[in-house]
Amino acid sequence: TISEQINAIASKYSGAVLLQKVNINENFDYFNALLVNTMDEEGNFIELGGEFPLEENEHFNRLSVNTLMSDIQVPTNVYNKDPDILNGVYMSEALNDIFISNFQKDPTLTWQYFGSSTGFFRLYPGIKWTPDSNGVVSFDCRNRNWYIQAATSPKDIVIVVDVSGSMKGLKMTIAKHTINTILDTLGENDFVNVIAYTDYVRYVEPCFKGKLVQADLDNREHFKLFVEELHVKGEAKVKKAMKESFRILADVTNGQGSLCNQAIMLITDGAMEDFQSVFEEFNWPDKKVRVFTYLIGRDMTFSENVKWIACNNKGYYTHISTLADVQENVMEYLHVLSRPMVINHDHDIIWTEAYMDSVLPNTKELFKSKAHSLLLMTSVAMPVFSKKKETLSHGILLGVVGTDIPLLEVMKLAPRYKLGAHGYAFLITNNGYILAHPDLRPLYSDGKKLKPKPNYNSVDLSEAEWEDTEDSLRTAMVKGKTGTLTLDVRAAVDKGVSVFGMVLTRGHGQYMFFGNVSVEEGLHDLQQPDLTIADEWTYCETDIDPHHRKLTQLQAVVRYLTGKEPDLECDEILLQQVIFDAVVTAPLEAYWTALTLTAPGVDEGMESAFLGTRSGLMRVIRYAGSEKRVGKRFLTPVDKENLFTVDHFPIWYRLAAENKPGQFFFYVPHDDINKGAQKVIVKWIFYTNRFTRMNSDPVGGRLSILIHLCFSQDVNCYLVDNNGFTLVSKEKGDVGKFFGEIDGSVMAQLLKSGLFKRVTLYDYQVMCKNAHHHTSGAQPLLSKVELMQPCNTEYPGFMYDTSIRETNSIIKCGRCQKMFVLQQVPNSNLVMLVVQADCDCSRQYAPITLAPRECNRMKSQKIRRRPESCHAYHPHENAKDCGGACGIAVSLTLYFICLATSLALH
């Protein structure tokens, strides 16, 4: 369906260009996204800014949009009345009908767009574009990953920069900006290296000497740091640098390189040597490596030499005299690399890596309410090219069409109820990078703000699925294998607090439980006030028909079952399960209400009672009003960790599912830590053990005795869970802490005796402070700033040996001895610790913490799958179009515009 929609847009535009016979004059008007609805002082709409109705739309994250029309965005550095812009905008008006038709057929679609090679961007639905704080619109569709990936096949690039003495000052500043701009045009399917040269050759990053590295975000940003440190000196000798570049491109073994387009980018202010022999030896006659040249500065003395290099190696020459020239001139190389694809008329459709939608409002609120990774987007795009026969050899790229796909929509294809409590689905790219995964954390907190991590879209699967060293799952997926794979992984549930030995429970799906109840019974019980179902699950498709979009999932289910909305598409199996669960659990409401009558005082010790089922159904009863509840957010829509969501079962459901039937599982919800939550749990435990004393279990009897001891001032009492976290203590601040931080001496003894075992866990998505020295023109002295950078950490986890039910020990601490008793709480995941309080061992035993330790783990080149298509060469390509003249023509255009303006003013 996506392919059909993309093809329809592309065909419409290329057809419009084919039929175009007249040039539009400057009187042609269009809706400029920056100017729409803007009036002058007299109350008239300004030019290109007519009345453009906008309405807030829930489907587009509450942005104000126009779903009946698209509009045009033009970057600040592009003249919005340029003849090329006007002609392109006029022809692209034919896309409006296609955009609207696509959206009507598939309402799950979000943004649809066309990015023109001339720089304008047609976006549907139309919006009001907001410039930055300086009034600048820096967004240029031609810089976006979807445009670059669709317009060119994968590429191997060696950037060669002249750092001789003649490049000092502004020239070096322009050269650095040119390097960074080239790096920004690369993606994870491309490979790159950067070489600096004077009378000798050196690699900007010595660790990457002699090889190409994947141009993912990490490596690109890494290069930029080293480029910033470049300094000029010596005399330029380009010959050695060119030879080294050809050697790198010739050695693309061991998974290095794209094995498709290859190019050298030469950035210099002149070339004086006899360099022809280099090309004769390494590149002629096949000219497999294109050479693009960028002449830096106003001096044109060596322009013919620099242009000759590009024109004789199927490249392109540009002259960059100011910083403002960089962007437009760098983009020219993409048009050259696109020629073979355009001449072949090959419609490649690409999917990009995950990215943040730059126009999403209220980002922090959205990320609070949904899984981080599921608010990312991926783009599907393809090139549009001229079909005119007279321009065939020029391979003219008209632009790129695309649409954005929220990963949330893709992940809905794997329903939660079919995956089980610990099951989940995830997506990766051909390079092994995560598109969507429950453990992907693309944002980090910087004060009160949420910011994207620098490497948020280049996190490898091996950094979320800890397979130790084998990477068998990752390798199988990258290679495109199908089937099933069984392996053990280390997984941290509850944000690294609770440790379990599985990700997907073995045997899940082997048996399915079905029960039959009447629809009438189910409808009655589904509509009880204590019942909800998972609103992020898809019981019924509410996106297809616009009339259904305001329905909650529960409302949609009820309307479908009552026959009021028979056209709704619903999951019959899930509906059967949820109405069965509603009927079976219906007596609980009466049971919970009766508890206050049969067990007086219980309601004082409980705030809430709740139940969840595998169909996403929840029943909740509150024994205390919100003003009295300690856990104010627990089981509320804000508290997503404890509700059924699109990417996970509730944390309490997952933890309890691993216990034996009949056992109780205790834990402290994160939001309640240090907020008095122990009051709720203490009363619950004491009521539980009031009944425990009545049975004949000797362990339960001894536990009752220990509880009585806890009221003494001579001892400290703690209830600690199976991972060493404190649930109950006399000290309010202890709740939620790891017990080793409270009493390192006792925890050390428990580890020594084997009652608790240490497990090493890893987190490869942490942000660490990294001191970086830098200089600037405004602050010439060397200064040190702390930057947040992605880093790798390891941290300990602890697990209690459940086979040990009780123990006691004495710890010698200088002049005193500390005695403690440990007793397992029957039918739970808790142990009770009673510790002698009058002996301080803090001098001899340091606290045992869960503090992470930074560890060096260089990213190695992992197995990847190269894209299948490659368009690097076509015999009919017009290689004579190699720059220079085009640059002069653009300059003349600007000259005449300036001249006309000047005359008009006079």
Short mmCIF file of all heavy atoms in Angstrom, two decimals, residues 694-720:
data_model
loop_
_atom_site.label_atom_id
_atom_site.label_comp_id
_atom_site.label_asym_id
_atom_site.label_seq_id
_atom_site.Cartn_x
_atom_site.Cartn_y
_atom_site.Cartn_z
N MET A 694 -1.53 -17.85 62.94
CA MET A 694 -2.55 -18.84 63.28
C MET A 694 -2.21 -20.23 62.75
O MET A 694 -2.76 -21.20 63.21
CB MET A 694 -3.91 -18.40 62.71
CG MET A 694 -4.42 -17.10 63.31
SD MET A 694 -5.99 -16.62 62.54
CE MET A 694 -6.27 -15.04 63.33
N ASN A 695 -1.33 -20.30 61.70
CA ASN A 695 -1.05 -21.63 61.17
C ASN A 695 0.12 -22.26 61.91
O ASN A 695 0.79 -21.62 62.73
CB ASN A 695 -0.83 -21.59 59.64
CG ASN A 695 0.44 -20.85 59.26
OD1 ASN A 695 1.46 -21.00 59.90
ND2 ASN A 695 0.35 -20.06 58.19
N SER A 696 0.40 -23.52 61.59
CA SER A 696 1.39 -24.28 62.35
C SER A 696 2.78 -24.20 61.74
O SER A 696 3.69 -24.89 62.19
CB SER A 696 0.95 -25.76 62.42
OG SER A 696 0.80 -26.27 61.08
N ASP A 697 2.95 -23.42 60.67
CA ASP A 697 4.25 -23.32 60.01
C ASP A 697 5.26 -22.73 60.98
O ASP A 697 5.09 -21.61 61.46
CB ASP A 697 4.11 -22.43 58.77
CG ASP A 697 5.41 -22.34 57.98
OD1 ASP A 697 6.41 -22.94 58.44
OD2 ASP A 697 5.43 -21.67 56.93
N PRO A 698 6.34 -23.47 61.33
CA PRO A 698 7.31 -22.96 62.30
C PRO A 698 8.00 -21.68 61.80
O PRO A 698 8.36 -20.82 62.60
CB PRO A 698 8.32 -24.11 62.44
CG PRO A 698 8.14 -24.95 61.21
CD PRO A 698 6.71 -24.81 60.84
N VAL A 699 8.19 -21.60 60.49
CA VAL A 699 8.82 -20.39 59.96
C VAL A 699 7.92 -19.19 60.20
O VAL A 699 8.35 -18.12 60.63
CB VAL A 699 9.12 -20.53 58.45
CG1 VAL A 699 9.66 -19.23 57.88
CG2 VAL A 699 10.11 -21.66 58.23
N GLY A 700 6.61 -19.37 59.92
CA GLY A 700 5.67 -18.29 60.15
C GLY A 700 5.63 -17.90 61.62
O GLY A 700 5.52 -16.72 61.95
N GLY A 701 5.74 -18.86 62.50
CA GLY A 701 5.74 -18.57 63.93
C GLY A 701 6.95 -17.74 64.33
O GLY A 701 6.85 -16.78 65.09
N ARG A 702 8.14 -18.14 63.85
CA ARG A 702 9.36 -17.39 64.18
C ARG A 702 9.32 -15.98 63.61
O ARG A 702 9.83 -15.04 64.19
CB ARG A 702 10.58 -18.15 63.67
CG ARG A 702 10.92 -19.39 64.50
CD ARG A 702 12.31 -19.90 64.20
NE ARG A 702 12.41 -20.52 62.88
CZ ARG A 702 12.14 -21.81 62.65
NH1 ARG A 702 11.72 -22.58 63.63
NH2 ARG A 702 12.26 -22.31 61.44
N LEU A 703 8.68 -15.85 62.45
CA LEU A 703 8.56 -14.53 61.84
C LEU A 703 7.72 -13.62 62.72
O LEU A 703 8.01 -12.43 62.87
CB LEU A 703 7.92 -14.67 60.45
CG LEU A 703 7.98 -13.43 59.56
CD1 LEU A 703 9.42 -13.06 59.23
CD2 LEU A 703 7.22 -13.68 58.27
N SER A 704 6.69 -14.18 63.32
CA SER A 704 5.84 -13.38 64.20
C SER A 704 6.63 -12.86 65.39
O SER A 704 6.44 -11.73 65.84
CB SER A 704 4.66 -14.22 64.69
OG SER A 704 3.91 -14.69 63.59
N ILE A 705 7.52 -13.71 65.91
CA ILE A 705 8.35 -13.29 67.04
C ILE A 705 9.27 -12.14 66.62
O ILE A 705 9.44 -11.16 67.35
CB ILE A 705 9.19 -14.49 67.55
CG1 ILE A 705 8.25 -15.58 68.10
CG2 ILE A 705 10.19 -14.04 68.63
CD1 ILE A 705 8.95 -16.89 68.40
N LEU A 706 9.87 -12.26 65.41
CA LEU A 706 10.75 -11.20 64.93
C LEU A 706 10.00 -9.88 64.77
O LEU A 706 10.54 -8.82 65.05
CB LEU A 706 11.37 -11.61 63.58
CG LEU A 706 12.39 -12.75 63.62
CD1 LEU A 706 12.87 -13.05 62.20
CD2 LEU A 706 13.58 -12.40 64.51
N ILE A 707 8.74 -9.98 64.32
CA ILE A 707 7.95 -8.76 64.14
C ILE A 707 7.76 -8.05 65.47
O ILE A 707 7.85 -6.83 65.57
CB ILE A 707 6.60 -9.08 63.49
CG1 ILE A 707 6.82 -9.49 62.02
CG2 ILE A 707 5.65 -7.88 63.54
CD1 ILE A 707 5.58 -10.03 61.35
N HIS A 708 7.54 -8.82 66.55
CA HIS A 708 7.40 -8.22 67.88
C HIS A 708 8.69 -7.54 68.31
O HIS A 708 8.67 -6.48 68.92
CB HIS A 708 6.99 -9.28 68.91
CG HIS A 708 5.54 -9.64 68.82
ND1 HIS A 708 4.52 -8.75 69.11
CD2 HIS A 708 4.93 -10.80 68.45
CE1 HIS A 708 3.35 -9.34 68.92
NE2 HIS A 708 3.57 -10.60 68.53
N LEU A 709 9.86 -8.14 67.94
CA LEU A 709 11.15 -7.54 68.29
C LEU A 709 11.35 -6.18 67.63
O LEU A 709 12.08 -5.34 68.14
CB LEU A 709 12.30 -8.47 67.87
CG LEU A 709 12.50 -9.74 68.69
CD1 LEU A 709 13.57 -10.61 68.05
CD2 LEU A 709 12.91 -9.40 70.13
N CYS A 710 10.71 -5.98 66.49
CA CYS A 710 10.92 -4.76 65.71
C CYS A 710 10.45 -3.51 66.45
O CYS A 710 10.84 -2.40 66.08
CB CYS A 710 10.22 -4.86 64.36
SG CYS A 710 10.98 -6.07 63.26
N PHE A 711 9.60 -3.67 67.44
CA PHE A 711 9.13 -2.50 68.18
C PHE A 711 10.13 -2.05 69.23
O PHE A 711 9.95 -1.04 69.90
CB PHE A 711 7.77 -2.80 68.81
CG PHE A 711 6.68 -3.01 67.80
CD1 PHE A 711 6.26 -4.29 67.45
CD2 PHE A 711 6.08 -1.92 67.16
CE1 PHE A 711 5.27 -4.48 66.50
CE2 PHE A 711 5.09 -2.11 66.22
CZ PHE A 711 4.69 -3.39 65.88
N SER A 712 11.23 -2.81 69.36
CA SER A 712 12.28 -2.45 70.31
C SER A 712 13.23 -1.44 69.68
O SER A 712 13.45 -1.44 68.47
CB SER A 712 13.06 -3.71 70.71
OG SER A 712 14.27 -3.38 71.35
N GLN A 713 13.83 -0.56 70.50
CA GLN A 713 14.79 0.42 70.02
C GLN A 713 16.16 -0.19 69.76
O GLN A 713 17.01 0.43 69.12
CB GLN A 713 14.94 1.54 71.07
CG GLN A 713 13.68 2.35 71.31
CD GLN A 713 13.25 3.11 70.06
OE1 GLN A 713 14.08 3.67 69.36
NE2 GLN A 713 11.95 3.14 69.80
N ASP A 714 16.39 -1.41 70.25
CA ASP A 714 17.71 -2.03 70.15
C ASP A 714 17.96 -2.69 68.80
O ASP A 714 19.09 -3.12 68.53
CB ASP A 714 17.89 -3.08 71.26
CG ASP A 714 17.78 -2.46 72.64
OD1 ASP A 714 18.16 -1.28 72.78
OD2 ASP A 714 17.32 -3.15 73.56
N VAL A 715 16.95 -2.81 67.97
CA VAL A 715 17.12 -3.47 66.68
C VAL A 715 16.53 -2.61 65.57
O VAL A 715 15.63 -1.80 65.79
CB VAL A 715 16.46 -4.88 66.66
CG1 VAL A 715 17.11 -5.80 67.67
CG2 VAL A 715 14.96 -4.77 66.85
N ASN A 716 17.09 -2.82 64.34
CA ASN A 716 16.51 -2.24 63.13
C ASN A 716 15.91 -3.37 62.32
O ASN A 716 16.52 -4.43 62.18
CB ASN A 716 17.58 -1.53 62.29
CG ASN A 716 18.07 -0.27 62.96
OD1 ASN A 716 17.30 0.44 63.61
ND2 ASN A 716 19.36 0.01 62.82
N CYS A 717 14.72 -3.15 61.82
CA CYS A 717 14.05 -4.19 61.04
C CYS A 717 13.80 -3.71 59.61
O CYS A 717 13.47 -2.53 59.39
CB CYS A 717 12.70 -4.55 61.68
SG CYS A 717 12.88 -5.45 63.21
N TYR A 718 13.99 -4.64 58.68
CA TYR A 718 13.80 -4.31 57.27
C TYR A 718 13.09 -5.46 56.57
O TYR A 718 13.33 -6.63 56.88
CB TYR A 718 15.16 -4.12 56.57
CG TYR A 718 16.10 -3.17 57.26
CD1 TYR A 718 17.02 -3.64 58.20
CD2 TYR A 718 16.07 -1.80 56.97
CE1 TYR A 718 17.88 -2.77 58.84
CE2 TYR A 718 16.94 -0.92 57.60
CZ TYR A 718 17.84 -1.41 58.53
OH TYR A 718 18.71 -0.55 59.15
N LEU A 719 12.23 -5.11 55.65
CA LEU A 719 11.71 -6.08 54.70
C LEU A 719 12.40 -5.79 53.37
O LEU A 719 12.32 -4.66 52.85
CB LEU A 719 10.20 -5.97 54.55
CG LEU A 719 9.38 -6.68 55.62
CD1 LEU A 719 7.92 -6.35 55.48
CD2 LEU A 719 9.57 -8.19 55.56
N VAL A 720 13.09 -6.79 52.84
CA VAL A 720 13.92 -6.62 51.65
C VAL A 720 13.45 -7.60 50.58
O VAL A 720 13.14 -8.77 50.89
CB VAL A 720 15.41 -6.88 51.99
CG1 VAL A 720 16.28 -6.75 50.75
CG2 VAL A 720 15.87 -5.90 53.06
#
